[in-house]
Amino acid sequence: MNFQGSVIKYGDNVDTDVIIPARYLNTIDKKELASHCMEDLDKTFVARVKAGDIMVGGENFGCGSSREHAPIAIKESGISLVIAKNFARIFYRNAINIGLAILECPEAAEEICEGDELYVDADQGIIENKTTGKSWKTAPFPAFIQNIITGGGLIAGINDGKI
Amino acid sequence: MAMTMTQKILAAHAGVDHLEAGELTMVNLDMVLGNDITSPVAIREYEKLGNGPVFDKKKVAMVMDHFAPNKDIKAAEQCKMCRTFCNERGVENFYDTGKMGVEHALLPEKGLVTAGDVVIGADSHTCTYGALGAFSTGVGSTDMACGMATGKAWFKVPAALRFNLVGQLNPPVSGKDVILHIIGMIGVSGALYRSMEFGGEGMHTLSVSDRLCMANMAIEAGAKNGIFEVDDKTLAFLKEVGAKEPKIYAADPDAVYEKVYTIDLSAIKPTVSFPHLPENTHTVDEIEKIAIDQVVIGSCTNGRLEDLAVAAKILAGKKVAENVRCIVIPATQKIYLEAMELGYLKTFVEAGAAVSTPTCGPCLGGHMGILAKGERAVATTNRNFVGRMGHPESEVYLASPAVAAASAICGYIADPREV
């Protein structure tokens, strides 16, 4: 699993209420959810995000509500991967379950800047910053988790007999 | 090797003698819960999974509480989707308008959770039932779907933080002040991935209502679950609500905790969390006058009868300040009825407060009390994130029912000891 994209960066404690405000939870339509992604934190996100972009956050990314609508909105917006110092536990689980790639790497999340171009080899856990030339190594996911993510989520994985 | 309370409950449900922190395990579930905003996503996934019968009609619960009574057409469609799903499969614990309550107040009241249970819910505040000695945690909709289909869920066994409670609270200080104090002390990721285990002599002085409030907010410290030791008060509560036979698990004396904190309940003061994180705590006696526009008393955190009793006592014979909207939301139909019989609702209405049917409503900015740009609320709810109760430039201050009621009278954040 490889990713290449430019960075959209946020800070610590990005909560699921700002990822997708509750006032939009009266729908489960993925595109509609994505059209409001990050709205209360960054009104420019939806207009500027490009398919393949990589979101970088600080500590406790995805804290708060268990709403799976949050990783769904991020994934549907075109974000290919989220890198953070660490993730809140329900978001972590939900991201894997719906097939949104995530990686924990505190050093990379600290040093990467908005707009940097990254190349990420998730199988090896290698993050390369092509803008600055710096790279980091982090623990890759075990194969069964990677299978869930690449297969499009837990349910698809179960149905395909991969899990 | 010694185990914590959480580890013992997970081991028993995994059918093994022993589990250690960090191990992955598959456990049997005693209850799978969802609400009107998380269940529709779960149902969509469930349909992809073969769409068969649920694993146990008695062990699935769906509560229409977040945007119910239906706030708009889309919310109505979501509730309809849940209703149809439950009717078609004979799910016994489906709670709709007129019978429902805020889910985490409702399930304990209905006796649907007992000590020793493993409960997952597609709602982050599912950790509430730890107050009753259960392992209980929030998950997403996909986990809920798999749980409904198989009756199982996988977990990474958590390490634990231990909170030894000593002393006794000085009223009007409550469980809410204790948990806000703890979150202020350890931070919103202070218990990330871990269980928060509460015990000690002081624990026995806390009411079950205070414990439910504290376990409810374990997630606000990032915890996987919060759990209290089981004592006579727990057992009396479970008996009163008709819960099934409890199974009592106690931590081994030499169980390993990453950290042990001692919390002197007698030293806790009324505490308020400032925007926009629950960890931004201040004691009410150290803050300037902060003018407010709205007060919300309710939610899964503080909408129980004991909470309304505290608020009613403070508001009795008084008036809500001229420029303040005070909204009181009993958390369940039973609480609503009891509050009516005890005269609390009359007290609230006479004081100039609005009383609502049970709903999560304003807590998550759904309906029934949304804030405009620049407005400020004191709420007995659990989160004060940006935009949580309405406009992204509004503010929520988290507090106990006593502080909220006192603030409603004063028009600014007030110390209940001075009203």
Side-chain angles (χ1 to χ4, degrees):
Chain A
M1 223 177 356
N2 300 330
F3 304 91
Q4 187 152 2
S6 50
V7 168
I8 295 179
K9 186 167 183 181
Y10 300 110
D12 291 340
N13 301 309
V14 173
D15 62 77
T16 53
D17 274 274
V18 295
I19 295 172
I20 181 72
R23 59 186 177 274
Y24 303 120
L25 299 185
N26 55 2
T27 182
I28 60 173
D29 182 79
K30 294 178 182 181
K31 290 205 163 21
E32 198 175 338
L33 291 169
S35 73
H36 298 292
C37 189
M38 310 306 292
E39 189 175 290
D40 283 358
L41 182 65
D42 175 9
K43 283 196 166 30
T44 70
F45 174 79
V46 170
R48 68 194 173 103
V49 65
K50 304 181 301 295
D53 279 357
I54 295 171
M55 190 180 281
V56 177
E59 287 185 14
N60 204 24
F61 187 95
C63 61
S65 159
S66 68
R67 61 190 70 159
E68 207 160 285
H69 315 64
I72 289 172
I74 291 174
K75 187 181 177 190
E76 195 67 21
S77 74
I79 291 289
S80 61
L81 169 71
V82 184
I83 300 170
K85 290 183 185 173
N86 56 41
F87 292 89
R89 63 160 284 273
I90 306 177
F91 184 92
Y92 184 93
R93 208 177 162 103
N94 287 349
I96 292 168
N97 282 346
I98 67 140
L100 171 67
I102 55 172
L103 271 183
E104 284 187 338
C105 186
E107 299 78 16
E110 176 71 33
E111 292 175 37
I112 292 169
C113 297
E114 172 84 24
D116 285 356
E117 288 291 324
L118 303 185
Y119 175 79
V120 178
D121 179 340
D123 300 336
Q124 303 295 321
I126 293 167
I127 301 168
E128 285 176 33
N129 190 334
K130 295 168 80 87
T131 305
T132 64
K134 190 151 185 186
S135 70
W136 300 268
K137 177 95 173 75
T138 187
F141 277 125
F144 84 97
I145 296 283
Q146 293 201 30
N147 279 341
I148 293 175
I149 294 171
T150 53
L154 184 63
I155 303 278
I158 290 170
N159 285 338
D160 293 347
K162 285 184 181 166
I163 295 152
Chain B
M1 174 113 177
M3 289 191 284
T4 65
M5 236 181 126
T6 295
Q7 290 161 2
K8 281 192 178 177
I9 295 173
L10 289 175
H13 284 73
V16 298
D17 292 335
H18 182 256
L19 285 173
E20 273 183 54
E23 268 186 82
L24 288 172
T25 187
M26 185 72 84
V27 301
N28 291 314
L29 302 171
D30 296 297
M31 183 58 73
V32 180
L33 166 71
N35 59 50
D36 53 312
I37 59 175
T38 58
S39 299
V41 178
I43 291 168
R44 180 169 67 192
E45 296 305 311
Y46 192 90
E47 286 168 351
K48 291 183 205 161
L49 204 53
N51 208 15
V54 296
F55 83 105
D56 189 329
K57 291 172 187 174
K58 294 183 192 304
K59 293 183 179 176
V60 174
M62 276 192 205
V63 185
M64 305 298 99
D65 58 358
H66 277 60
F67 292 167
N70 306 334
K71 80 181 182 96
D72 54 29
I73 293 169
K74 285 179 170 178
E77 295 292 346
Q78 296 206 137
C79 285
K80 188 179 171 190
M81 187 176 176
C82 299
R83 194 176 301 117
T84 303
F85 179 90
C86 288
N87 286 343
E88 285 179 359
R89 286 162 188 78
V91 170
E92 290 185 15
N93 305 302
F94 176 72
Y95 294 100
D96 214 338
T97 296
K99 296 172 191 67
M100 62 81 162
V102 177
E103 53 194 329
H104 308 307
L106 187 71
L107 263 61
E109 175 189 293
K110 295 284 181 189
L112 293 176
V113 180
T114 197
D117 275 358
V118 170
V119 180
I120 62 166
D123 188 281
S124 61
H125 293 108
T126 303
C127 51
T128 307
Y129 318 127
L132 305 176
F135 171 81
S136 184
T137 192
V139 295
S141 296
T142 299
D143 279 323
M144 179 192 171
C146 293
M148 287 195 298
T150 64
K152 292 177 190 296
W154 66 267
F155 291 106
K156 191 171 184 179
V157 178
L161 306 178
R162 165 85 183 182
F163 294 84
N164 277 327
L165 309 179
V166 299
Q168 192 164 352
L169 295 175
N170 296 308
V173 178
S174 69
K176 181 62 163 286
D177 301 294
V178 181
I179 193 63
L180 291 181
H181 169 80
I182 289 173
I183 295 166
M185 184 174 74
I186 69 174
V188 292
S189 58
L192 196 63
Y193 306 134
R194 293 163 181 80
S195 59
M196 295 170 78
E197 308 220 343
F198 298 94
E201 278 307 302
M203 185 202 112
H204 308 301
T205 67
L206 293 174
S207 67
V208 170
S209 177
D210 277 330
R211 299 176 197 181
L212 288 161
C213 169
M214 288 172 63
N216 173 273
M217 289 193 70
I219 179 68
E220 311 314 333
K224 180 170 231 162
N225 67 315
I227 193 164
F228 279 76
E229 290 173 1
V230 175
D231 66 2
D232 291 345
K233 282 186 181 171
T234 324
L235 297 174
F237 176 89
L238 292 170
K239 193 173 175 191
E240 191 188 325
V241 298
K244 67 179 177 352
E245 196 59 31
K247 282 208 179 98
I248 301 172
Y249 295 91
D252 290 318
D254 52 345
V256 177
Y257 300 98
E258 282 192 354
K259 276 186 189 167
V260 178
Y261 298 91
T262 299
I263 306 291
D264 181 0
L265 298 176
S266 62
I268 308 268
K269 294 176 178 177
T271 300
V272 179
S273 287
F274 281 32
H276 290 284
L277 281 177
E279 70 183 20
N280 296 336
T281 54
H282 299 265
T283 55
V284 76
D285 57 5
E286 66 173 21
I287 59 181
E288 307 279 315
K289 268 192 188 173
I290 298 171
I292 56 168
D293 303 286
Q294 180 166 297
V295 168
V296 174
I297 299 171
S299 83
C300 57
T301 314
N302 279 128
R304 281 173 289 275
L305 191 66
E306 292 83 347
D307 301 313
L308 302 188
V310 167
K313 193 174 170 193
I314 292 170
L315 283 163
K318 303 268 179 44
K319 291 285 180 197
V320 171
E322 194 63 33
N323 50 350
V324 172
R325 313 178 297 267
C326 181
I327 301 163
V328 183
I329 312 176
T332 68
Q333 290 289 101
K334 181 168 182 271
I335 295 167
Y336 192 104
L337 194 58
E338 287 173 348
M340 189 187 295
E341 285 166 354
L342 290 164
Y344 302 160
L345 303 190
K346 186 165 186 281
T347 299
F348 296 138
V349 174
E350 283 176 350
V355 178
S356 158
T357 192
T359 181
C360 304
C363 171
L364 75 162
H367 61 156
M368 289 300 296
I370 305 304
L371 298 173
K373 182 177 179 178
E375 286 193 326
R376 199 176 276 149
V378 173
T380 68
T381 56
N382 41 55
R383 294 198 172 119
N384 54 358
F385 300 151
V386 170
R388 176 73 180 178
M389 198 174 275
H391 195 281
E393 288 174 47
S394 62
E395 293 182 345
V396 176
Y397 292 71
L398 304 175
S400 68
V403 170
S407 303
I409 294 165
C410 296
Y412 55 85
I413 301 173
D415 190 332
R417 296 168 295 188
E418 291 172 7
V419 176

